[in-house]
Amino acid sequence: MNANTIVWAILIITVLVSAKGFDDYAFFERYKFKISSILKGKQYERLFTSGFLHVGWVHLLFNMITLYFFSNSLIYTFSVLIFVIIYLGAILAGNLTTLCFSQKDSQYNAVGASGGVSGVIYSAIVLTPQIELLVFPLPIPIPGWIFAIVYMYYSIFGMQNQWGNLGHSAHLGGAVFGLLITIFLKPELIFVHGLYIILILIPIVYVIFTEIRRR
């Protein structure tokens, strides 16, 4: 089975599971990320299954299109197996981050592959910091490392101030996982792209410091 087949298999499975969730409320409720069900009901599978559910077609298609285009960079550099590990690992890391920061909110619930997609994006950016990204509504592409820094701060402040109906903590956790595992797999990147990595890591150090002070 070639790499392209694996990527398409992930996309198709996610679309099918999400479509099932759109039409089946009980299915959606059973497998979404819900803190009370995870901590009290010990339904730990929700840490993964929620990554295959979405709130609507726009949410789903945006995540899947982004995942498809960024998957090539990871597969070319590593392998299809490493790509899958980074993607699924980032989903888990994003949900664990949410669990950590929102554990007192027993009614908190969420769905979406955004944590996994964030991990894949940040992995690709660490590999090629100068990669150009088109970000709506900006009329021109911006370097990946600038996007990584800005989006990291956005996720941190969004998480701390509960901006909008978005899983900022999942985005943050997934991004950090993608960043760190890529450095672990290719430590030479520290010497090749050290400055970019340091700049991207600064927001992570900031959030760790501020959360320690809060607690």
Side-chain angles (χ1 to χ4, degrees):
M1 190 176 291
N2 62 39
N4 209 36
T5 302
I6 298 294
V7 174
W8 274 104
I10 292 174
L11 299 179
I12 292 170
I13 291 170
T14 306
V15 169
L16 291 176
V17 173
S18 294
K20 170 73 173 174
F22 297 158
D23 296 328
D24 188 336
Y25 179 77
F27 178 85
F28 184 86
E29 287 294 309
R30 174 58 184 84
Y31 294 106
K32 72 181 182 180
F33 177 94
K34 188 174 182 180
I35 287 181
S36 60
S37 297
I38 295 170
L39 294 181
K40 296 179 181 178
K42 300 187 185 302
Q43 295 175 350
Y44 302 118
E45 69 276 6
R46 290 174 182 260
L47 294 169
F48 280 107
T49 57
S50 59
F52 292 86
L53 293 168
H54 291 78
V55 296
W57 286 107
V58 173
H59 183 209
L60 170 62
L61 293 176
F62 177 81
N63 274 339
M64 294 301 96
I65 291 172
T66 305
L67 178 63
Y68 177 79
F69 282 110
F70 279 92
S71 64
N72 290 332
S73 177
L74 276 62
I75 292 171
Y76 177 79
T77 303
F78 300 116
S79 66
V80 66
L81 176 61
I82 295 299
F83 158 71
V84 172
I85 290 173
I86 291 176
Y87 178 60
L88 296 180
I91 288 177
L92 177 60
N95 282 332
L96 287 175
T97 302
T98 302
L99 198 64
C100 177
F101 286 108
S102 303
Q103 59 184 295
K104 294 181 180 179
D105 183 0
S106 61
Q107 296 306 307
Y108 184 96
N109 62 89
V111 294
S114 300
V117 173
S118 293
V120 170
I121 291 175
Y122 271 73
S123 178
I125 289 174
V126 172
L127 292 172
T128 314
Q130 292 289 357
I131 184 175
E132 293 191 336
L133 304 179
L134 282 170
V135 181
F136 181 82
L138 299 179
I140 58 173
I142 62 173
W145 66 273
I146 293 179
F147 168 84
I149 295 170
V150 173
Y151 190 74
M152 192 71 78
Y153 277 115
Y154 170 75
S155 295
I156 290 169
F157 288 114
M159 177 184 68
Q160 293 178 337
N161 297 284
Q162 298 182 339
W163 291 344
N165 189 29
L166 296 173
H168 295 289
S169 53
H171 298 171
L172 177 65
V176 172
F177 178 84
L179 171 72
L180 295 181
I181 194 173
T182 303
I183 295 173
F184 174 78
L185 292 170
K186 287 184 70 69
E188 63 269 24
L189 291 172
I190 296 174
F191 304 100
V192 179
H193 302 313
L195 177 60
Y196 298 119
I197 292 172
I198 290 172
L199 292 173
I200 297 171
L201 284 173
I202 288 174
I204 301 172
V205 175
Y206 165 80
V207 74
I208 293 173
F209 177 73
T210 54
E211 289 301 321
I212 290 175
R213 289 189 60 185
R214 284 186 179 189
R215 301 183 184 205

